[in-house]
Amino acid sequence: MARKKPTSSADRPAPGPLRLHVPEPAARPGDDPDFSHVRVPAAGVSQRPPIDASEPELRAYAEGLVRVLGDDHRAVGDWDPQLDADTLRRGLRHMLLTRIFDDRMLRVQRQGKTSFYIKSTGEEAVSVAQAYALREDDMLFPSYRQQGLLVARGHSLVDMMCQIYNNTRDRLKGRQLPIMYSVREKHFFSISGNLGTQFPQAVGWAMASAMKGDTRIAASWVGEGTTAEADFHYALTFASVYQAPVILNVVNNQYAISSFQGFAGGEHATFAQRASGYGLPGIRVDGNDFLAVHAVTQWAAERARANHGPTLIELFTYRAAAHSTSDDPSAYRPEDEFARWPLGDPIERLKQHLIAIGEWSEARHEQLVKDLDDQVRADLKEAESYGTLSTPPASPSSMFEDVFKDMPEHLVRQRREMGY
Amino acid sequence: MARKKPTSSADRPAPGPLRLHVPEPAARPGDDPDFSHVRVPAAGVSQRPPIDASEPELRAYAEGLVRVLGDDHRAVGDWDPQLDADTLRRGLRHMLLTRIFDDRMLRVQRQGKTSFYIKSTGEEAVSVAQAYALREDDMLFPSYRQQGLLVARGHSLVDMMCQIYNNTRDRLKGRQLPIMYSVREKHFFSISGNLGTQFPQAVGWAMASAMKGDTRIAASWVGEGTTAEADFHYALTFASVYQAPVILNVVNNQYAISSFQGFAGGEHATFAQRASGYGLPGIRVDGNDFLAVHAVTQWAAERARANHGPTLIELFTYRAAAHSTSDDPSAYRPEDEFARWPLGDPIERLKQHLIAIGEWSEARHEQLVKDLDDQVRADLKEAESYGTLSTPPASPSSMFEDVFKDMPEHLVRQRREMGY
Amino acid sequence: MPKMNMIQAINSALDVMLDRDDTVVIFGEDVGYFGGVFRCTAGLQKKYGKTRVFDTPIAEGGILGAAIGMGVYGLRPVPEIQFADYIYPAFDQLVSEAARLRYRSGGEFSAPITVRAPCGGGIFGGQTHSQSPEGIFTHVSGLKTVMPSNPYDAKGLLIAAIEDDDPVMFFEPKRIYNGPFDGHHDRPLQPWSKFPQSEVPDGYYRIDLGKAAVARPGNEVTVLAYGTMVHVSVAAVEEAEIDGEVIDLRSLLPIDLDAIVESVKKTGRCVIVHEATRTGGFGAELSALVQEHCFHHLEAPIERVTGWDTPYPHAFEWHYFPGPERVTRALKKVMEG
Amino acid sequence: MPKMNMIQAINSALDVMLDRDDTVVIFGEDVGYFGGVFRCTAGLQKKYGKTRVFDTPIAEGGILGAAIGMGVYGLRPVPEIQFADYIYPAFDQLVSEAARLRYRSGGEFSAPITVRAPCGGGIFGGQTHSQSPEGIFTHVSGLKTVMPSNPYDAKGLLIAAIEDDDPVMFFEPKRIYNGPFDGHHDRPLQPWSKFPQSEVPDGYYRIDLGKAAVARPGNEVTVLAYGTMVHVSVAAVEEAEIDGEVIDLRSLLPIDLDAIVESVKKTGRCVIVHEATRTGGFGAELSALVQEHCFHHLEAPIERVTGWDTPYPHAFEWHYFPGPERVTRALKKVMEG
Ligand SMILES: Cc1ncc(C[n+]2csc(CCOP(=O)(O)OP(=O)(O)O)c2C)c(N)n1
Ligand SMILES: Cc1ncc(C[n+]2csc(CCOP(=O)(O)OP(=O)(O)O)c2C)c(N)n1
Ligand SMILES: [Mg+2]
Ligand SMILES: [Mg+2]
């Protein structure tokens, strides 16, 4: 204790002025797309851990990127889910169907037949592969960009279109913005317009399933931008405290409307890393690699079902389309970014894989695209036969229903006031 | 691709039923206190890192426990802040004063002279050492258990008592529950009854300081239970995104009213670890070790002031008293836990350290206790001369002031209606 | 018949429902092992186990988010918010989710949750343990809002709320947990056991939501009140020696408009009393409804007696609280008006 | 004089204030580089730099929490909430903090923030892009609530709001960003440039909060409205061929009670129009105030024309929206009543 330091920092030399750091993306309109900050490990290097591994053992997965499909389009490594060719072809079909559906619905929105649409282009592997890795009766709490879940569960496109059109067959009775589906029989929860709210709800559902000794688990999705909302924190906290059987997915598609993922904290950590702070495993996966997404989701599902608790999965992908039909991305990002996205296109990659293993061909692919296009057209025709936005479902008086289970007097009076 | 695994988890053998995990503390009333789960590393083993170290380099600090005062009451290792004996004696004095003040105010609450009180017993090192490691004009956003900050900044106890009494000298004009201080000239922010709200506010203040090229930083405190609130997540997110010059403190005193820290997620990770998920350094420190608390806080302050960004500090301590005067801990924890708390009593430890280095004695300590007790009694007498709860400050009509800067018409009307 | 105070009656309602319906679950901050800071859930974890009655993280939004998910699964969650003042972090889950779920899903999903929260002042709780936020929730389509004024009603209404298939905000005026406080803070509180409403059956019974009660019949003026203010209003009517009819609304949404209109048409005068701040409070809605439905019967302007439009000031609690003196003044004013 | 639509007028107000006062800072989701989803902040980041105008994480509660801290530091933050429907996650910071800070600290600290949020429906936004939550905020002591109805007022009121030392909720009816929509959704929208209120000075001017304007003078009935509903009400009055006086409240809290009372005393009749749901809406408060202050002048019950007590239903937007037809019906009713 010979040398005495100054006793208070007040005595130290005054430092320079403080500066505010405001995140800045690598490229803006006019710039060359720049993904040099994206580290892409080779496929197959990551090992599939046991499902009862503890969080500290799993910490490296939150910074890594699980990849199965190599540059040669072969599946490599421990995570290869070894799906049979039929399943892969079905996956390709469902991803393609999702994309074609999206393209078609964008077009009808542009024609004024509906008010709004949101595409999932470039992110089809997320929904389709994840749906495949879950059981049919596991409960899904999606955001607005997982239409692929419904497609993968074989839900009727006509039914989806009718919701988008708010027509006479709209199961949501004209109440919701297009694409805010709710499909109870497919265990697909009602989509909320408020970001993130489904995340703690999924945890609550999973807690209930555990309370009741059920075997069904829950899965939920948010975008990387949405991780900043309170609900993300609530979900992780409750999932951790009660070790709920739930899979919490962050779809990191690089953008939240105009804001790059740095505004959600992506400059300083991966989104999968958030989980470790709660003592939960976080796994980062190549979201455009159908096989990797399937494998990681299956791992998390097995873990949850065996009472080893929740997993956070970050699906690393790219939002290839505009945020929604109300958005124009050319105002905030280089036009050709998707073409330069280092993880490619999930559909193209699965297609090439199937070709590489001798289970697919360009010709069959072309035929499939045509068939699906025909199917979507036919479905659209049917859906339009039930009307479009200008042909509302049932009577306006139905707007007073379902506010409560039984209509209270004040709503009866208001309905009467409206003339019914 | 010879062996084909089942293509969907639905085909796998059904697992057993799910179970809900509900956290359970190691000991309940009637049990022997059990702190076997608390790992206490030896003092001096942790190295003080450079202030510009990156988060991954610092990750081990979130799981460790920085300790300076050894079992022999000597200061050891790299983190030793090497404070001079005067500063240490001042620290001891301020911690003791805080404790004596707390004890006295509890007594007056029991006498019915005020409605409510909250003690910080056992946690005095947190406030006092942290105040010492900051500059006098750094802005503090405390919770209700950091009265020691005011004591350490030399604020008038009489002024604090007058707030507690809501008497004629209550600077908060009778508006606030006792102990919800606000002391602008000490850069001590108005305490909120709503848990956690001050955390993102501190970040916003720090952002503003950075925007303006100021040199002042902010510090804020929440309890470990409060980390589950949204505001904790907002604070860490904004602190990370904008690299705000702020120190975010989690005082882990093991309890949130009746709930042990497992209900905030403490079973699965430390609270310091939360930070790493946001790419921020988290440091866990022995909260009952005055020197360690000072050193870690000073490190974080230097880091923030040099534009290297925010730090989360977990102060590992024990709430020795009841949550508040409305609480009776014997209903939910063993009576003698504090006596068995492995990190001891912060006042006793600093006292023994001073004795060990030949700068203090039992006799001087006894005298100090007596002096401080006299001071508090004298202050109390003065405060009571300005009235107690039954002697409200000024006129009730003042209740209409400060809702807005200028009183709008409707409040003027209501004041008139009240008879003023 | 057992005698119960309001805490015991609420505890009994929860006990009855946990026993009858194994989808009922109870959780919140300090409600499990400890039994709640007001003891409303005391003994229930011990009786029904940790997966039916349990503690939670301090995260009101998380509590509600999880509750909604449990409701969607098929449970009937009864979360507690420790003080109504701390309900705001859960506001989005309540307003955007619980309240809207049935509607937006075309009836596919719903959240049959009952949110219990102690409300109101008069306990020297300061501005964050005294609020009455019911008026914020009655503006939200899809939520029901209930506030009992006595043990018998508390149990019957709480059972009805738990059985209700829609989300219900169940506010418990903490000032009357132990006795029917009438606003005379300088007099000793009479315990519930001295009053007939403390006779509460042990078993199951329900009081339908949306039905008001006449707390004191009368002919000269109608007083609309709920919660603690029912007792204040009855005291004021007696003290003013005016033959006032005090209506205990019990449920704010749905509201028993018929009972209100019938009474006001009879008396021709109306005073509305609540503890919440005035502007935009539920009293405004009551005033609007009364004048819409009884305009031609009104002989004087409707008066509102409410908390002032300020936070609840700790030292001036009794100046803030709308006590019998202020109600009496309003009664006299409408009788003259 | 330049012609501005409401977006341009708001942008101009922000520009003027950023320029005049270097403590003014603007932030929110997509408001920085992109300039806001409604373009209200377009060009401002470029002009004033990234530390004055910037993007934020998607965390409304964090945005408000940080804004309050900045306000305490000494800045005048003007955060944007992308849609008023998304303000609920920030509710606790607004109600428990911004609104209460000056009071609870005895005047030591305050948060001079202005929260801008587009509100209202009529754009086929569905239930989460159409809400009018102003009635929730007018019940909160310590907040001011403003809603302009035209470009000139928008700029003058926004400047006054930013200069105000208390927190102000500044709601922008998005349906009239581009023109004074009068509820006739089947007719082409007239752009602001055709109307005198689009003549907006480039520089600084302010319209004090708490002063109503007469949007259309008249003698037979008073119509109280704000935001989009001002235009609907004026259209309805003209179409009903009733000599109605339409009062544009502009500021709900503080409210210009004098202007209201003066008009109702003159006309003896009153219709209140807002887009928000009825029960507990700000219309209830207006109705209560009018009957309290004009009881003896009223010749007919006050009518409320409002959104129904349901979420905003996407397909039935025009059945939900309180258009000129419904206002006309109410006008006729009060004229008869
Ligand atoms: C609570 C809330 N705040 C803001 C919005 C407006 N909003 C809709 S989508 C969106 C961006 C979401 O980005 P991200 O979470 O990354 O999902 P992505 O759209 O990329 O799939 C925003 C800000 C909203 N819907 N809800
Ligand atoms: C938003 C909110 N929810 C609940 C409460 C009630 N409450 C007051 S203190 C407390 C426990 C806080 O525990 P912790 O954060 O660990 O701090 P400590 O009391 O241990 O210092 C609770 C639940 C509150 N004040 N605010
Ligand atoms: Mg995104
Ligand atoms: Mg604690």
Side-chain angles (χ1 to χ4, degrees), chain A residues 293-307:
Chain A
V293 171
H294 188 287
V296 165
T297 309
Q298 193 165 58
W299 182 89
E302 285 175 23
R303 182 177 173 91
R305 236 181 283 278
N307 282 304

Side-chain angles (χ1 to χ4, degrees), chain A residues 39-203:
Chain A
R39 280 176 302 137
V40 182
V45 298
S46 169
Q47 299 289 307
R48 187 187 204 264
I51 57 163
D52 60 354
S54 71
E55 183 276 317
E57 296 171 282
L58 295 168
R59 210 161 287 169
Y61 291 91
E63 288 176 81
L65 192 69
V66 174
R67 306 183 74 228
V68 169
L69 283 174
D71 293 342
D72 59 356
H73 306 303
R74 299 272 166 182
V76 277
D78 206 27
W79 279 105
D80 176 9
Q82 304 199 4
L83 304 173
D84 62 35
D86 278 348
T87 303
L88 293 178
R89 275 187 296 261
R90 200 156 51 92
L92 184 67
R93 181 190 187 91
H94 280 149
M95 289 202 288
L96 261 174
L97 184 54
T98 305
R99 185 166 296 181
I100 289 167
F101 176 74
D102 276 354
D103 287 341
R104 179 63 54 186
M105 298 321 290
L106 177 74
R107 224 169 308 163
V108 305
Q109 192 275 343
R110 293 286 181 241
Q111 291 162 5
K113 290 183 189 168
T114 185
S115 61
F116 184 73
Y117 194 71
I118 289 186
K119 296 174 81 177
S120 62
T121 312
E123 304 175 35
E124 294 88 349
V126 171
S127 302
V128 176
Q130 293 205 281
Y132 281 28
L134 296 166
R135 288 170 187 258
E136 292 288 332
D137 58 356
D138 286 333
M139 185 74 193
L140 313 176
F141 290 82
S143 91
Y144 46 75
R145 218 180 287 282
Q146 284 81 46
Q147 47 267 59
L149 292 170
L150 283 174
V151 174
R153 284 197 169 174
H155 187 57
S156 146
L157 294 191
V158 174
D159 191 64
M160 293 165 74
M161 290 164 173
C162 290
Q163 193 281 321
I164 291 167
Y165 279 149
N166 282 168
N167 66 15
T168 55
R169 296 260 175 121
D170 173 8
R171 63 157 70 206
L172 304 187
K173 308 177 188 174
R175 304 227 182 94
Q176 273 282 39
L177 206 62
I179 67 94
M180 297 289 182
Y181 312 110
S182 172
V183 186
R184 191 179 171 88
E185 71 273 23
K186 295 290 178 191
H187 310 285
F188 182 100
F189 186 64
S190 156
I191 297 173
S192 177
N194 299 67
L195 292 172
T197 47
Q198 70 276 15
F199 236 42
Q201 293 165 358
V203 174

Side-chain angles (χ1 to χ4, degrees), chain A residues 287-341:
Chain A
N288 291 7
D289 178 337
F290 187 91
L291 297 178
V293 171
H294 188 287
V296 165
T297 309
Q298 193 165 58
W299 182 89
E302 285 175 23
R303 182 177 173 91
R305 236 181 283 278
N307 282 304
H308 299 306
T311 302
L312 181 77
I313 301 176
E314 174 179 349
L315 299 123
F316 201 68
T317 182
Y318 184 86
R319 194 196 77 206
H323 169 72
S324 73
T325 49
S326 311
D327 178 47
D328 171 16
S330 72
Y332 52 79
R333 70 181 186 188
E335 298 257 13
D336 48 346
E337 265 196 357
F338 184 45
R340 309 274 281 277
W341 174 243

Side-chain angles (χ1 to χ4, degrees), chain A residues 222-230 232-233 250 264-265 271 274, chain B residues 233 237, chain D residues 58:
Chain A
V222 294
E224 89 294 340
T226 303
T227 61
E229 290 283 10
F232 177 79
H233 178 58
V250 174
F271 295 96
R274 290 279 165 82
Chain B
H233 179 57
T237 302
Chain D
I58 303 175

Side-chain angles (χ1 to χ4, degrees), chain B residues 91-391:
Chain B
L92 185 67
R93 180 190 188 89
H94 280 148
M95 288 202 290
L96 260 174
L97 184 55
T98 305
R99 185 166 297 180
I100 289 167
F101 175 74
D102 276 354
D103 287 341
R104 179 64 52 186
M105 297 321 290
L106 178 74
R107 223 167 311 162
V108 305
Q109 192 276 342
R110 293 286 181 240
Q111 292 163 1
K113 290 183 188 167
T114 186
S115 61
F116 184 72
Y117 194 71
I118 289 186
K119 297 174 81 177
S120 63
T121 312
E123 303 174 34
E124 293 89 349
V126 170
S127 302
V128 176
Q130 293 205 282
Y132 281 27
L134 295 166
R135 288 168 187 262
E136 292 288 333
D137 58 356
D138 287 333
M139 184 74 193
L140 313 176
F141 290 82
S143 92
Y144 46 75
R145 217 180 287 281
Q146 284 82 48
Q147 48 266 59
L149 292 170
L150 283 174
V151 174
R153 284 198 169 173
H155 187 57
S156 146
L157 294 190
V158 174
D159 191 63
M160 293 166 74
M161 290 164 172
C162 290
Q163 193 281 321
I164 291 167
Y165 280 149
N166 282 168
N167 66 17
T168 54
R169 296 258 176 124
D170 174 8
R171 62 156 70 204
L172 304 187
K173 308 178 188 174
R175 304 228 182 92
Q176 272 283 39
L177 205 63
I179 68 96
M180 296 289 181
Y181 312 110
S182 172
V183 186
R184 191 181 171 87
E185 72 273 23
K186 295 290 176 191
H187 310 285
F188 182 100
F189 186 63
S190 156
I191 297 173
S192 177
N194 299 66
L195 292 172
T197 47
Q198 70 275 16
F199 235 41
Q201 292 165 359
V203 174
W205 194 98
M207 287 172 67
S209 187
M211 285 174 198
K212 290 296 167 194
D214 200 338
T215 61
R216 293 174 297 159
I217 66 172
S220 189
W221 288 261
V222 294
E224 89 295 339
T226 303
T227 61
E229 290 283 10
D231 288 310
F232 177 80
H233 179 57
Y234 297 145
L236 284 163
T237 302
F238 279 64
S240 170
V241 167
Y242 302 105
Q243 294 290 297
V246 65
I247 303 177
L248 297 169
N249 299 295
V250 174
V251 184
N252 180 358
N253 62 6
Q254 313 303 320
Y255 286 95
I257 310 186
S258 75
S259 302
F260 86 113
Q261 43 88 29
F263 279 102
E267 288 185 326
H268 306 288
T270 72
F271 294 95
Q273 276 180 281
R274 289 279 166 82
S276 10
Y278 302 83
L280 298 181
I283 303 194
R284 201 148 155 277
V285 61
D286 178 343
N288 291 7
D289 178 336
F290 187 90
L291 298 178
V293 171
H294 188 288
V296 165
T297 308
Q298 192 165 58
W299 181 89
E302 286 175 22
R303 182 177 173 92
R305 237 182 282 279
N307 282 304
H308 300 306
T311 302
L312 181 76
I313 301 177
E314 174 180 348
L315 299 123
F316 200 68
T317 182
Y318 184 86
R319 194 196 77 207
H323 169 72
S324 74
T325 49
S326 311
D327 179 46
D328 171 16
S330 73
Y332 53 79
R333 70 181 186 188
E335 297 258 12
D336 49 346
E337 264 195 358
F338 183 45
R340 307 272 282 277
W341 173 244
L343 301 180
D345 177 325
I347 295 181
E348 187 60 23
R349 283 172 71 192
L350 185 57
K351 171 186 160 193
Q352 294 302 339
H353 173 59
L354 275 163
I355 292 176
I357 61 173
E359 295 282 359
W360 197 240
S361 69
E362 289 289 353
R364 287 176 75 179
H365 195 82
E366 223 166 279
Q367 185 59 44
L368 176 62
V369 170
K370 207 195 145 300
D371 290 351
L372 296 175
D373 206 62
D374 289 348
Q375 180 197 331
V376 171
R377 275 170 203 273
D379 285 349
L380 194 68
K381 209 167 153 189
E382 180 182 345
E384 292 191 356
S385 77
Y386 309 129
T388 59
L389 187 52
S390 42
T391 332

Side-chain angles (χ1 to χ4, degrees), chain C residues 224-238:
Chain C
L224 303 178
Y226 49 91
T228 306
M229 292 303 131
V230 171
H231 308 287
V232 172
S233 300
V234 170
V237 163
E238 310 280 352

